[in-house]
């Protein structure tokens, strides 16, 4: 299936590793030009080099701290100057700290709001005028299954990713007349370094001998009996970013092996 992404320009944040890297690779495989973004410049350059070697497409890297509105504005400026425009925006930021309500400090809430919610707001604010002008655009936000089924000890993530969902669902109606779609993908337990770190934190807190026991416990909650792979989420993102998905907007789609039990 030709997704119609050849020569489209995609800005993918958090794309030096994990889910973001898998998404960037999938879009590159479809012929999209890429603007990669992450905090760590060294790892970002390594990812750029890998993608540039493997795929015949233009790739640029723009290190940025998404918790800073000024850095987000600079990132969008780099994308515009290097590529001329942004057709596809994929927002993907690292998860905020774990913790219960009494564990989390006001400073952690402020940082979480800047990174997980305001970064999405500022990224969309940056690319939307050009998308409206060209009357075409795709915005895909990476959220979490926690939006539909909150996960214990992830209060910040549960709260702020739900806020992103509300923003996206409302915005989808506002920009639909301009042939711009806005959707969310909700990864479940997916085998990334972030998930392994979360397992390590829980194992230390609960004095469990090995984080593997935590991972195995999650697997038992998933009807498919295994963790997801980043490439499985990336395939959905590429479809939602494509010409083929032109009538899908305002949706939140889980990629979770059946973890979420909700009917809708």
């Amino acid at each position: 299936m030709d997704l119609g992404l050849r020569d489209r320009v995609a800005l993918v944040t958090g794309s030096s590793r994990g889910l973001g890297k898998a998404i960037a690779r999938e879009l590159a495989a479809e012929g999209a030009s890429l603007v990669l973004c992450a905090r760590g410049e060294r790892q970002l350059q390594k990812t750029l080099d890998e993608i540039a070697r493997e795929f015949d497409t233009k790739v640029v890297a723009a290190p940025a701290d998404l918790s800073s509105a000024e850095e987000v504005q600079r990132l969008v400026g780099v994308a515009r100057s290097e590529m001329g425009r942004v057709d596809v925006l994929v927002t993907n930021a690292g998860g905020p700290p774990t913790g219960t309500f009494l564990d989390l400090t006001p400073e952690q809430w402020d940082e979480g709001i800047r990174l997980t919610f305001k970064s999405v707001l500022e990224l969309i604010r940056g690319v939307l005028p050009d998308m409206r002008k060209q009357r075409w655009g795709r915005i895909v936000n990476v959220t979490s299954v926690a939006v539909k089924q909150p996960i214990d000890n992830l209060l910040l993530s549960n709260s702020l990713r739900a806020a992103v969902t509300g923003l996206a669902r409302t915005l989808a109606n506002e920009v639909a007349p301009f042939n711009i779609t806005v959707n969310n993908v909700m990864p479940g337990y997916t085998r990334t370094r972030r998930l392994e770190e979360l397992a390590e934190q829980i194992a230390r807190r609960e004095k469990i001998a090995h984080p593997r026991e935590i991972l195995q416990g999650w697997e038992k909650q998933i009807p498919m009996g295994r963790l997801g792979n980043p490439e499985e989420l990336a395939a959905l993102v590429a479809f939602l970013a494509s010409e083929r998905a032109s009538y899908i907007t305002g949706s939140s789609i889980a990629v979770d092996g059946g973890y979420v039990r909700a009917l809708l």
Side-chain angles (χ1 to χ4, degrees):
M1 180 188 294
D2 181 2
L3 296 182
L5 280 168
R6 186 158 300 280
D7 299 325
R8 292 292 186 185
V9 177
L11 167 57
V12 184
T13 65
S15 49
S16 64
R17 64 181 75 216
L19 296 176
K21 180 178 179 179
I23 291 166
R25 286 177 54 83
E26 191 75 19
L27 292 171
E30 293 294 332
S33 300
L34 295 175
V35 179
L36 306 180
C37 167
R39 286 187 185 183
E41 189 169 354
R42 184 174 179 181
Q43 181 61 41
L44 187 63
Q45 185 62 45
K46 182 180 177 182
T47 297
L48 182 150
D49 292 341
E50 289 177 11
I51 292 176
R53 280 196 304 269
E54 188 170 352
F55 303 104
D56 181 22
T57 191
K58 183 177 179 181
V59 191
V60 299
D65 177 359
L66 296 181
S67 66
S68 163
E70 292 76 17
E71 286 280 285
V72 172
Q73 291 170 10
R74 184 182 61 79
L75 167 62
V76 173
V78 169
R80 189 177 289 117
S81 64
E82 291 285 341
M83 298 292 194
R85 68 188 191 281
V86 173
D87 301 305
V88 176
L89 170 66
V90 181
T91 73
N92 171 56
T98 62
T100 63
F101 186 83
L102 294 178
D103 293 332
L104 297 167
T105 66
E107 292 75 21
Q108 286 175 312
W109 275 99
D110 289 343
E111 174 66 16
I113 290 168
R114 287 195 299 272
L115 178 63
T116 307
F117 178 72
K118 288 200 70 177
S119 67
V120 177
L121 176 65
E122 295 300 333
L123 283 162
I124 294 173
R125 196 196 306 276
V127 304
L128 194 57
D130 287 345
M131 289 183 177
R132 282 170 55 103
K133 191 179 300 181
Q134 67 194 24
R135 301 188 71 84
W136 199 97
R138 300 287 185 265
I139 298 169
V140 183
N141 306 302
V142 179
T143 60
S144 167
V145 290
V147 168
K148 287 199 172 185
Q149 189 166 298
I151 298 172
D152 291 344
N153 207 50
L154 292 182
L155 181 62
L156 272 175
S157 183
N158 296 344
S159 303
L160 300 176
R161 296 197 193 283
V164 171
T165 303
L167 167 66
R169 184 62 193 88
T170 309
L171 179 64
N173 288 356
E174 294 181 10
V175 299
F178 299 92
N179 199 27
I180 301 168
T181 66
V182 186
N183 292 290
N184 307 309
V185 292
M186 304 183 299
Y189 288 107
T190 307
R191 193 175 291 281
T192 62
R193 181 57 192 152
R194 159 73 176 167
L195 190 74
E196 291 171 355
E197 290 171 353
L198 184 59
E200 291 166 4
Q201 291 172 14
I202 294 172
R204 282 196 300 270
R205 187 177 65 248
E206 299 184 2
K207 296 181 172 52
I208 294 172
H210 201 285
R212 187 185 307 112
E213 297 179 45
I214 303 298
L215 295 172
Q216 290 170 343
W218 288 333
E219 288 176 336
K220 290 176 182 177
Q221 299 176 49
I222 301 168
M224 290 192 115
R226 66 173 177 86
L227 301 178
N229 295 312
E231 294 74 18
E232 292 170 312
L233 180 83
L236 173 61
V237 173
F239 178 72
L240 291 174
S242 76
E243 202 67 63
R244 296 282 185 164
S246 57
Y247 204 56
I248 302 173
T249 195
S251 294
S252 291
I253 305 173
V255 183
D256 65 353
Y259 172 79
V260 171
R261 275 23 180 210
L263 292 177
L264 299 173

